[in-house]
Amino acid sequence: QVQLVESGGGVVQPGRSLRLYCAASGFTFSDYAMHWVRQAPGKGLEWVAVISYVGNKKYYADSVKGRFTISRDNSKNTLHLQMNSLRAEDTAVYYCARDGEWIWDYWGQGTLVTVSS
Amino acid sequence: DIVMTQSPDSLAVSLGERATINCKSSQSILYSSNNKNYLAWYQQRPGQPPKLLIFWASTRESGVPDRFSGSGSGTDFTLTISSLQAGDVAVYYCQQYYSTPYTFGQGTKLEIK
């Protein structure tokens, strides 16, 4: 069965970096684009970034552009999100989601990132 | 950016009654070349990730009960739950995937009256 498992979250000070991971299983990872979506505590959903199935196309929300980098390793079925220069407003649960030709059909359980001094 | 606006923000409906949630996009999300509306609906129960209910504005995801239906085109869309069940208590989001940045509505909290 399809599984997406995020990891790498935690408490980090403002200005520091963190790298998130999304381990995929149960499907051919290299056939799908992948997204990161976040949700601040008690708030709605915010799309963060997307990467094409090959990894050659990447798009970002303006709120993270220049600070976050999405990448993938198709040989290891893993999606990454490198987050630099973290701010308090980046505090959120980060979800990875599978994109099957515009259909975001599977989401992970999320990993919590808290940016606080 | 395409702004997605849902109404109402919250809704209380009796068990077995109909629930209707509206979603309006700031510009058309109907792609003329394929006549598809790039609109999805998600359900998010407390402490859970979002769950895809509807895509292409009206196509029900596999396994989603047929009491959930989506309609609309262009800029105005509706999610209807025909007969509310206790397990439908959740926050519902619409989302456009017509263009980046992909955007979500603010969410509609559905409760039992």
Side-chain angles (χ1 to χ4, degrees):
Chain A
Q1 71 281 19
V2 173
Q3 276 200 311
L4 297 171
V5 180
E6 300 93 340
S7 61
V11 180
V12 61
Q13 292 178 329
R16 303 298 290 266
S17 298
L18 206 59
R19 187 173 177 88
L20 302 186
Y21 302 85
C22 171
S25 60
F27 65 101
T28 304
F29 182 66
S30 57
D31 284 349
Y32 292 83
M34 296 293 297
H35 299 265
W36 287 100
V37 176
R38 68 184 181 183
Q39 187 169 36
K43 302 298 184 182
L45 300 168
E46 180 188 15
W47 172 77
V48 172
V50 61
I51 186 168
S52 62
Y53 64 97
V54 174
N56 59 336
K57 295 181 181 179
K58 307 174 185 181
Y59 300 95
Y60 299 90
D62 285 347
S63 58
V64 306
K65 200 174 296 182
R67 300 188 299 124
F68 289 12
T69 302
I70 189 172
S71 61
R72 64 191 299 158
D73 185 339
N74 286 344
S75 68
K76 295 183 179 178
N77 295 340
T78 304
L79 175 72
H80 309 109
L81 186 67
Q82 177 66 42
M83 305 186 296
N84 298 332
S85 303
L86 282 161
R87 306 167 180 167
E89 54 265 35
D90 296 319
T91 294
V93 173
Y94 285 74
Y95 298 102
C96 60
R98 185 181 87 162
D99 181 345
E101 298 203 356
W102 309 112
I103 301 168
W104 304 17
D105 55 355
Y106 284 92
W107 296 57
Q109 290 294 316
T111 187
L112 176 62
V113 173
T114 303
V115 184
S116 174
S117 53
Chain B
D1 298 3
I2 298 175
V3 177
M4 307 299 289
T5 304
Q6 292 181 226
S7 61
D9 290 335
S10 63
L11 181 62
V13 175
S14 300
L15 291 173
E17 296 298 305
R18 177 187 301 259
T20 301
I21 299 170
N22 300 302
C23 175
K24 188 174 183 69
S25 57
S26 60
Q27 66 185 72
S28 177
I29 53 176
L30 171 64
Y31 194 36
S32 56
S33 66
N34 59 10
N35 200 38
K36 287 187 173 182
N37 289 281
Y38 284 55
L39 189 284
W41 288 97
Y42 296 90
Q43 175 194 67
Q44 188 177 33
R45 296 187 175 109
Q48 294 296 311
K51 174 187 174 183
L52 177 65
L53 297 176
I54 303 283
F55 55 94
W56 300 130
S58 60
T59 302
R60 199 177 304 114
E61 170 69 335
S62 175
V64 173
D66 60 7
R67 64 177 184 276
F68 290 91
S69 63
S71 62
S73 185
T75 61
D76 292 280
F77 302 91
T78 300
L79 174 69
T80 301
I81 308 172
S82 60
S83 176
L84 191 70
Q85 307 294 306
D88 299 337
V89 169
V91 178
Y92 292 82
Y93 295 93
C94 62
Q95 179 226 359
Q96 65 81 17
Y97 46 96
Y98 182 88
S99 65
T100 59
Y102 304 121
T103 47
F104 294 85
Q106 79 276 20
T108 295
K109 186 174 184 179
L110 177 59
E111 299 173 314
I112 305 295
K113 185 187 291 183

